[in-house]
Amino acid sequence: MRIHKLRIQAFGPFAGVEEVDFDELSAGGLFLLDGPTGAGKSSILDAICYGIYGSLPGNRAGSRQIRSDHAAEGLEPQIICELTVGDRRFEVTRSPAWMRPSKRGKNGVTEQKASSALRELVKGQWEALSTRNDEVGQILGGLLGLDRDQFTKVVMLPQGGFADFLRAKATAREDLLSNLFDTSDYGKIEDEFNLRLTEERKKAAEIEATLSARENGIRQDATAFLASHELADPEVAQNQIEPPADLATEFADYDARILTMHCARQEGTAKLRLRREQSLKNQKSVDERRRVFARRAELSGLESEHSEKHPAAVRAGQALELHGKAAGIRGYEAQVNETKKSLEATVKAWHESQLKVANGYELRAQANADDLDVIRSRTAKLNNRLVVLNAALADETKKEQLQKDLKDALEQVNKQKKIREDAEKTLGQLRAERDDIAAEPQKLDLVAAAGAKQVATEELTAAQELVVQIKLRDKLHKSLTAADIEYAEQSLKLNAAETELIAAQRMQLEQSALRLAAALEDGSPCLVCGSLEHPQPAQSEDDAELIDDERIEALDKVVQTERELQRTKAKIRDVATTKFEAAAESAKDTDLDTGKARTELAQTKLDAATAKQAETTELARKLELLRARIEKETAKVAQAALDHATGTKQVQSLSTQIDELDAKLAQLREGSDLGLAELVKKVRAEFTVFNGAHKALTDHLAAANAAKKAADTWTQQRDEAGFVNDKEYVVALLSDEKREQYQTLQHEDTVRSSAIATLKASEDHLRAKDLAAQGIGAPTEEEQSTVNENVKAAEELYESARQDEVLAQTQLERLRTSVAALSEYRAESGPVVDAYRRLRDLADVIRGGGENKYKMTLSTYVLAARLEEVAQAATERLKIMSSERYSLHHDDSTRGNSKSGLGLRVRDSWTGKERDTQTLSGGETFMASLALALGLADVISHHSGAVDMQTLFVDEGFGSLDAETLEQVMEALESLRAGGRMIGLVSHVSEMKQRITNRVTVIKTQHGSTIDMTPEVMLTI
């Protein structure tokens, strides 16, 4: 940043218009801003600050007494500052609020609101950027990368303030550094660690609760089981021991006691199992006796019944045998009856046909094979003649159709001849028109016409795209400017929010005693000294409001919101820049009028090419249509000629067919006068009579032969079955009811015989014989009941013991499974607990506790690093000023329980020792403060990303230096001129006037101050 010109009007001590041309002063690099005390030297710096940020520096930021009391009535207070930021040159005009004479009243005044205007020099022309008071400061502050407070400490170096910083305590230094360096990100890290610690603490607590719940669950389950089962077993109860204190030993004791109980239950179950098996064995023996003697009784009953019913069953078997033979030949009897009925039916049909043949055609036929051959031969001849006559009927119908077709064919031949003649005439006309168009081939070049139109289209598209890019470029330039303004505004809002948060945090820290005093109660001990009496508690001035944590959190949220908005604005600005550069590259340097002219010319060319292409396309289309019609008419002429020739041949063919059919039909009539249809009817009637007689006689002869053959077969089969006559056959046949009765008797006898044989051969029968031989009989009901009751009692005792054994086994398995699961869960959750402990220790260190021996929070640690950089940068200049004697060093040594890391020490190379900065003399303090201010300015610029400051002002403090030290300080200031930097020294010391002849002198008068630019040539220092 470099300041070029400053114009002051009715501002501060300056009554009129004063101008300072810093470009003239920059030739020598160093210039002096001198004048008597109170003349207004610092007011020039105030004017620069007000012009950029719209407010005065320091604690005068809210002052409304800006207009000069010496100014003439009605003269508007105004600041015009021209400066360069980066490669952009701006002119800012500010007018603070002031009371101007009222235009309506003679003696009244009215307030004139503050106004601002910001312009930028673009291609030699001033372009307005903003007229809003706040927006102007936001734009310039954003481009500089500094808020107002940072600007006053980087560009305007107040030595008194840095002398205080040099001698300040660590807390005061931390407040100043917090205002200058943003450590909010590191504060977020502290908050993030606290949040993560809370989450991990919750997880660890859940794990501990789960472990405790599982341990209690195992303990309660085991003790409940042992309490209800162990005391019921005296042998197990005797082995109890005292509950151990160790958890593993306790669970092992539960396991051992339940295992002992399980083993005891196993032994008892084994004894009861043997008892149950013996009872079942006795029951099986009694059941066996009952079964075998029941089988013996069953065999005796079956034998008695068999002796009684067997003879009747034998007789039934004989009758069923005869019925089977009779039923076997029943089919031959039915065949005889059926052939008789068929013969009777054929006799009637033959007699009717015999009469028709005799009466109608005088043929006396009898029922024999010879007459059958005569009738068959007559029928075949009639059938053949009928087939020929029927075929001739179709020929007669065909003849009629052929005559009709001949007539139609003659008419079609004449019509086709006319079509051919018309088509030949049209074809000649089309060929003549085609030849006329084809005579000029250059008018039919579609490729050339399309190419010309394509070229014109591309030229028009390029011209239109150029216009679009020109408009887009101009539009995006405005968008980019707006984005820059919005980003600058947001940067200033963020700086203001951060400043307010830091001030509130500082105030909250300063109010610690007030909060402790507010919590004091009579009779309750003080949290600091423990006293029960509170004679002089801390009190706020004017009942100031205490800053609580909610206020800090609210301000922090505002800071986070403003920071996020700043990131959003930065993204918008970057996108606007990228789009503008792309549009500018496409539009090149062409203006909008030139682009529009190119578009109009390209459109004219395209219209001409389009018309030419349309004309060529129409001729080509017309030629193609003619060719298609010629091809169509040529095919039509050929088809007409072909159709005419074909029709002529068809007429000849039809005439020939009609003549042939006439000759064939005359031959078939055989001289008969009847028509062909009547002749067919007569022959069909005769064929019908003889064909019926042939069928009737054939059926009659076949039926007679079948009846004779069936009678002979029946007689043979009856004799072979053993029946002498038909009567014996009829008697042997049984009714269905009788046959079923005989079959039942025979089946029951067979079943009884089989059962008797099976029982006699069974082991139960043999076992019953052995027992009876031994004098042992079937068991009594009392004996059976006693055995069953014994088995039931043994089963119940065994099942109860088995359930107790399974219950003990299940409890033992559940105990071991739960203990194993608990051990596995403890092993799995171990890393989570370890991670919580590590995070807890790390969070303590970040908060300044635990193993953090410096007692520094993370934010303080970062500020300490910045202070170390400031000390290093300050030392480079302090060594020059002090002839390599003094250097500043960062001090992080601890002091009791207080935070460390923000201390400063000065090393004296003459003694080789470090000492406190408060031991420096006045001149030494000035040199150290100046070096500290310069170093701090460099570090702030580096870390805030601010632009390079080409204009610096150093305010006061030179009067405390002797001649030699002043010389060294001047050499250090000379080093700042590297790279074209301009340094302004604010002083009223006379020695400075002798050393620096390039100066701005402020002259104080009773009518207000004025500025005198000394026109002397800059001398070498």
Side-chain angles (χ1 to χ4, degrees):
M1 188 275 294
R2 176 180 288 273
I3 299 174
H4 300 287
K5 295 179 181 180
L6 178 66
R7 184 177 184 274
I8 304 173
Q9 175 177 296
F11 180 86
F14 303 105
V17 177
E18 306 294 336
E19 294 186 2
V20 180
D21 189 345
F22 290 98
D23 287 341
E24 294 182 6
L25 299 173
S26 64
L30 284 176
F31 69 91
L32 180 64
L33 182 57
D34 73 327
T37 301
K41 300 185 295 298
S42 297
S43 295
I44 296 178
L45 306 184
D46 293 345
I48 294 174
C49 181
Y50 187 86
I52 295 176
Y53 292 96
S55 61
L56 299 177
N59 53 14
R60 296 174 293 155
S63 176
R64 298 173 62 86
Q65 298 297 324
I66 299 178
R67 184 176 182 274
S68 175
D69 294 334
H70 302 284
E73 182 179 359
L75 182 61
E76 178 187 20
Q78 188 181 68
I79 302 296
I80 301 177
C81 183
E82 190 174 332
L83 69 158
T84 295
V85 181
D87 57 352
R88 301 174 67 181
R89 186 155 180 162
F90 300 93
E91 179 194 77
V92 58
T93 301
R94 295 272 194 181
S95 178
W98 62 292
M99 303 302 294
R100 64 172 176 80
S102 175
K103 295 180 180 180
R104 297 181 180 179
K106 295 181 179 180
N107 300 319
V109 293
T110 185
E111 183 180 16
Q112 177 67 43
K113 301 294 184 181
S115 63
S116 302
L118 179 64
R119 300 193 301 173
E120 181 180 5
L121 187 63
V122 179
K123 296 182 180 180
Q125 299 293 327
W126 288 105
E127 294 184 2
L129 295 182
S130 176
T131 57
R132 287 174 48 188
N133 295 328
D134 56 344
E135 188 175 58
V136 171
Q138 291 169 2
I139 294 174
L140 294 177
L143 294 174
L144 289 172
L146 301 171
D147 60 19
R148 187 198 64 205
D149 292 338
Q150 290 175 324
F151 178 81
T152 57
K153 290 179 175 61
V154 172
V155 178
M156 305 172 183
L157 307 178
Q159 299 310 303
F162 283 98
D164 294 339
F165 177 79
L166 185 66
R167 295 188 292 267
K169 300 295 184 182
T171 304
R173 286 201 186 99
E174 183 174 6
D175 293 339
L176 178 61
L177 292 172
S178 298
N179 291 330
L180 297 176
F181 298 105
D182 182 14
T183 58
S184 58
D185 290 340
Y186 303 97
K188 290 180 181 178
I189 293 175
E190 296 175 14
D191 295 339
E192 177 65 21
F193 267 93
N194 290 332
L195 179 61
R196 289 179 57 188
L197 180 62
T198 300
E199 294 175 354
E200 294 300 324
R201 183 186 295 112
K202 183 179 179 181
K203 292 180 183 177
E206 291 176 354
I207 291 172
E208 293 293 342
T210 302
L211 289 173
S212 178
R214 290 191 177 187
E215 292 169 2
N216 291 333
I218 295 172
R219 183 180 295 107
Q220 291 174 2
D221 189 29
T223 54
F225 176 78
L226 291 172
S228 60
H229 295 84
E230 191 174 34
L231 296 179
D233 193 339
E235 296 180 2
V236 178
Q238 293 174 358
N239 296 328
Q240 289 183 348
I241 59 175
E242 294 297 327
D246 179 71
L247 184 65
T249 306
E250 179 184 358
F251 289 168
D253 174 62
Y254 294 151
D255 187 286
R257 289 163 65 185
I258 296 174
L259 178 62
T260 302
M261 183 185 297
H262 177 249
C263 293
R265 298 286 171 84
Q266 276 186 325
E267 294 177 0
T269 302
K271 294 177 181 178
L272 290 174
R273 185 186 298 109
L274 293 176
R275 178 179 174 182
R276 186 193 65 166
E277 291 175 353
Q278 184 61 41
S279 299
L280 290 173
K281 185 176 181 182
N282 294 337
Q283 185 186 46
K284 183 178 180 182
S285 176
V286 172
D287 290 343
E288 182 185 12
R289 286 169 53 201
R290 178 180 56 76
R291 187 184 71 252
V292 298
F293 279 104
R295 288 294 183 90
R296 188 178 186 188
E298 181 184 359
L299 177 61
S300 177
L302 287 173
E303 288 177 341
S304 298
E305 186 179 3
H306 183 70
S307 299
E308 179 183 352
K309 297 181 178 180
H310 182 64
V314 172
R315 291 192 296 273
Q318 293 173 351
L320 287 171
E321 183 179 1
L322 288 175
H323 173 77
K325 291 180 179 179
I329 63 174
R330 186 182 296 174
Y332 296 105
E333 181 190 17
Q335 188 175 11
V336 170
N337 295 330
E338 289 177 359
T339 56
K340 285 181 180 180
K341 292 180 181 179
S342 299
L343 180 60
E344 291 174 358
T346 58
V347 169
K348 182 179 178 182
W350 161 241
H351 286 165
E352 292 176 354
S353 297
Q354 188 178 30
L355 289 175
K356 290 180 180 181
V357 171
N359 296 332
Y361 303 101
E362 299 179 355
L363 177 63
R364 309 298 178 185
Q366 300 299 323
N368 52 56
D370 294 337
D371 288 347
L372 179 62
D373 291 340
V374 172
I375 293 173
R376 182 186 299 113
S377 176
R378 183 75 175 269
T379 302
K381 289 180 181 179
L382 291 171
N383 183 59
N384 291 335
R385 180 167 175 74
L386 187 62
V387 171
V388 172
L389 290 174
N390 282 330
L393 283 174
D395 289 339
E396 191 172 40
T397 303
K398 181 179 179 181
K399 174 186 174 184
E400 295 175 356
Q401 183 62 40
L402 288 173
Q403 289 174 341
K404 181 179 179 181
D405 292 344
L406 178 60
K407 180 180 179 182
D408 294 340
L410 289 173
E411 293 177 356
Q412 188 66 23
V413 166
N414 295 330
K415 184 185 294 183
Q416 289 167 349
K417 180 179 180 182
K418 179 68 169 58
I419 291 173
R420 184 188 65 184
E421 292 173 351
D422 293 342
E424 289 175 346
K425 181 179 179 181
T426 302
L427 180 61
Q429 294 174 351
L430 292 175
R431 285 174 176 171
E433 188 174 356
R434 178 198 62 187
D435 294 341
D436 292 341
I437 294 175
E440 296 180 298
Q442 69 277 5
K443 294 184 178 181
L444 299 174
D445 193 349
L446 289 173
V447 175
K453 182 180 179 181
Q454 179 64 28
V455 171
T457 301
E458 291 175 353
E459 290 179 356
L460 177 60
T461 301
Q464 291 174 339
E465 180 62 24
L466 179 61
V467 171
V468 170
Q469 293 299 325
I470 292 171
K471 293 180 178 179
L472 180 61
R473 176 198 63 193
D474 297 341
K475 180 180 179 181
L476 290 176
H477 181 264
K478 297 180 180 179
S479 299
L480 176 59
T481 301
D484 287 337
I485 293 171
E486 291 179 1
Y487 176 75
E489 290 176 351
Q490 188 57 39
S491 299
L492 291 180
K493 288 182 180 179
L494 174 59
N495 291 335
E498 291 174 339
T499 301
E500 185 177 0
L501 173 61
I502 293 171
Q505 291 173 335
R506 183 188 301 111
M507 181 62 71
Q508 185 185 44
L509 182 62
E510 293 174 354
Q511 292 176 348
S512 299
L514 294 177
R515 285 196 299 273
L516 290 174
L520 292 177
E521 295 180 1
D522 292 337
S524 298
C526 176
L527 297 176
V528 178
C529 64
S531 174
L532 298 177
E533 297 180 357
H534 318 297
Q536 294 180 343
Q539 296 181 355
S540 62
E541 297 179 359
D542 299 329
D543 296 328
E545 181 183 0
L546 293 179
I547 304 298
D548 54 11
D549 292 340
E550 288 76 8
R551 175 78 176 278
I552 298 300
E553 292 177 359
L555 291 175
D556 184 63
K557 289 181 180 179
V558 172
V559 170
Q560 302 306 322
T561 302
E562 296 298 339
R563 181 173 288 110
E564 186 61 30
L565 286 174
Q566 185 191 39
R567 295 192 185 101
T568 302
K569 299 295 184 182
K571 291 180 181 178
I572 294 173
R573 182 188 63 182
D574 293 342
V575 170
T577 300
T578 303
K579 291 181 177 179
F580 172 73
E581 292 175 350
E585 178 66 22
S586 300
K588 300 183 178 9
D589 294 329
T590 307
D591 56 22
L592 184 59
D593 293 336
T594 302
K596 290 181 178 180
R598 292 182 183 177
T599 303
E600 293 175 357
L601 179 60
Q603 183 65 53
T604 301
K605 292 182 179 180
L606 178 60
D607 293 342
T610 302
K612 178 64 177 177
Q613 184 187 35
E615 180 183 355
T616 303
T617 303
E618 178 62 24
L619 287 175
R621 185 187 66 79
K622 186 174 181 180
L623 180 61
E624 188 62 29
L625 289 175
L626 287 173
R627 289 172 178 171
R629 287 190 62 189
I630 290 172
E631 182 178 354
K632 181 178 179 181
E633 292 299 327
T634 301
K636 186 176 180 180
V637 168
Q639 184 63 40
L642 178 62
D643 293 342
H644 182 265
T646 302
T648 302
K649 290 181 179 180
Q650 184 179 8
V651 169
Q652 296 173 355
S653 174
L654 290 173
S655 298
T656 302
Q657 292 181 44
I658 291 172
D659 294 341
E660 291 175 352
L661 285 175
D662 286 339
K664 181 179 179 181
L665 291 174
Q667 183 180 1
L668 289 174
R669 287 191 183 90
E670 297 178 352
S672 175
D673 295 334
L674 295 174
L676 191 61
E678 293 178 355
L679 184 61
V680 169
K681 183 177 181 181
K682 178 181 177 181
V683 174
R684 181 179 291 110
E686 185 178 354
F687 169 76
T688 300
V689 171
F690 277 91
N691 187 52
H694 176 263
K695 182 178 183 303
L697 182 57
T698 301
D699 293 342
H700 175 65
L701 293 177
N705 186 41
K708 181 178 182 306
K709 185 176 180 181
D712 295 342
T713 302
W714 160 247
T715 302
Q716 180 183 356
Q717 292 296 326
R718 186 194 64 189
D719 295 342
E720 291 178 356
F723 298 106
V724 177
N725 50 43
D726 292 346
K727 184 177 180 180
E728 289 185 2
Y729 161 75
V730 173
V731 172
L733 289 172
L734 298 175
S735 64
D736 293 341
E737 181 180 359
K738 200 69 174 177
R739 186 177 71 254
E740 291 178 358
Q741 182 182 357
Y742 286 165
Q743 287 175 345
T744 301
L745 289 174
Q746 190 177 34
H747 175 69
E748 291 176 349
D749 184 71
T750 302
V751 171
R752 280 193 298 271
S753 298
S754 177
I756 291 170
T758 301
L759 288 174
K760 285 183 177 181
S762 67
E763 293 182 359
D764 288 347
H765 174 66
L766 298 176
R767 177 64 176 163
K769 288 177 64 177
D770 293 342
L771 291 174
Q774 298 175 13
I776 301 174
T780 64
E781 293 292 332
E782 182 180 359
E783 183 181 2
Q784 183 73 51
S785 177
T786 301
V787 170
N788 291 339
E789 290 177 356
N790 291 340
V791 170
K792 181 179 180 182
E795 284 284 358
E796 291 176 350
L797 291 174
Y798 171 74
E799 288 300 326
S800 177
R802 176 60 182 163
Q803 289 178 3
D804 291 341
E805 177 191 351
V806 172
L807 183 61
Q809 181 180 2
T810 302
Q811 183 65 32
L812 182 61
E813 292 175 353
R814 185 164 65 247
L815 173 65
R816 291 176 176 176
T817 301
S818 299
V819 172
L822 177 63
S823 300
E824 182 179 356
Y825 180 75
R826 182 178 284 109
E828 291 176 352
S829 59
V832 178
V833 177
D834 293 341
Y836 160 68
R837 291 170 180 167
R838 289 194 301 270
L839 185 61
R840 179 189 61 194
D841 295 341
L842 182 56
D844 288 342
V845 171
I846 290 175
R847 290 194 300 262
E851 298 179 1
N852 188 340
K853 64 180 181 178
Y854 292 107
K855 307 301 179 183
M856 286 191 294
T857 64
L858 182 60
S859 300
T860 305
Y861 177 78
V862 174
L863 291 177
R866 298 289 183 267
L867 180 58
E868 187 173 7
E869 294 181 45
V870 171
Q872 292 174 355
T875 296
E876 295 179 4
R877 295 178 173 84
L878 182 56
K879 285 185 175 181
I880 298 174
M881 299 179 191
S882 64
S883 300
E884 300 293 328
R885 179 180 178 182
Y886 293 115
S887 58
L888 290 174
H889 295 274
H890 170 240
D891 181 18
D892 58 3
S893 59
T894 59
R895 293 177 179 83
N897 292 326
S898 301
K899 290 194 298 185
S900 62
L902 295 178
L904 276 177
R905 303 279 290 177
V906 61
R907 176 184 291 274
D908 190 345
S909 62
W910 290 2
T911 62
K913 295 182 179 180
E914 292 184 358
R915 52 193 174 98
D916 196 283
T917 53
Q918 295 181 357
T919 62
L920 294 173
S921 64
E924 292 171 340
T925 299
F926 168 75
M927 290 191 296
S929 300
L930 177 60
L932 190 62
L934 296 173
L936 185 61
D938 290 342
V939 174
I940 290 174
S941 298
H942 173 71
H943 285 285
S944 65
V947 298
D948 184 23
M949 296 300 169
Q950 294 293 314
T951 302
L952 294 178
F953 295 92
V954 180
D955 189 8
E956 289 301 340
F958 296 96
S960 61
L961 305 179
D962 56 29
E964 182 180 356
T965 304
L966 180 60
E967 180 67 29
Q968 295 170 349
V969 170
M970 296 302 294
E971 291 180 3
L973 292 175
E974 280 288 338
S975 66
L976 297 177
R977 295 171 51 191
R981 184 177 293 174
M982 179 174 58
I983 310 297
L985 304 181
V986 182
S987 178
H988 59 276
V989 178
S990 59
E991 289 81 354
M992 299 294 289
K993 297 179 182 180
Q994 299 174 3
R995 301 182 59 89
I996 305 175
T997 58
N998 191 24
R999 59 181 178 266
V1000 176
T1001 302
V1002 180
I1003 303 172
K1004 179 170 63 173
T1005 70
Q1006 61 179 354
H1007 302 294
S1009 298
T1010 59
I1011 295 176
D1012 179 30
M1013 296 282 294
T1014 304
E1016 297 181 9
V1017 179
M1018 184 64 185
L1019 300 177
T1020 303
I1021 298 176

